[in-house]
Amino acid sequence: MVGGGIRNIHYLGAKPGFTMINYNTYGSSLDIHVTYRGQVLAGTKGFQNGKGGFAFDWKPASGNYSVEVLISPQMANARASYTMACPR
């Protein structure tokens, strides 16, 4: 991960429901948030270090079924991983 961080697009489908993200920053300070149609749905609410998670209620608009996960590092050479559950 470098400079401005990373952006991942995830297709969640048309079915609304509860969606969970679990992350591990491996000791790096990172800000992670999910956006949909330009609005932040959920996130870490600032830089976090270590393992954690957050959830959001997925309510897709017709024809637009993807979210963007943005990971912003506080320092260069930061790394992270995350998993996102499908809506249920």
Side-chain angles (χ1 to χ4, degrees):
M1 183 179 324
V2 292
I6 61 172
R7 298 173 185 265
N8 292 321
I9 304 296
H10 295 279
Y11 177 82
L12 295 181
K15 179 183 173 189
F18 183 75
T19 304
M20 180 79 183
I21 292 181
N22 290 303
Y23 62 84
N24 186 346
T25 70
Y26 303 103
S28 302
S29 291
L30 300 168
D31 179 37
I32 303 170
H33 60 274
V34 178
T35 64
Y36 177 64
R37 300 179 70 174
Q39 302 294 316
V40 175
L41 296 179
T44 57
K45 298 182 176 144
F47 289 95
Q48 299 296 315
N49 186 333
K51 294 180 180 181
F54 56 86
F56 59 94
D57 193 20
W58 175 238
K59 298 177 184 175
S62 181
N64 191 348
Y65 305 123
S66 297
V67 295
E68 183 174 47
V69 175
L70 305 163
I71 304 174
S72 302
Q74 196 167 33
M75 299 178 69
N77 299 322
R79 62 188 190 115
S81 65
Y82 67 90
T83 58
M84 183 184 310
C86 292
R88 45 179 158 166

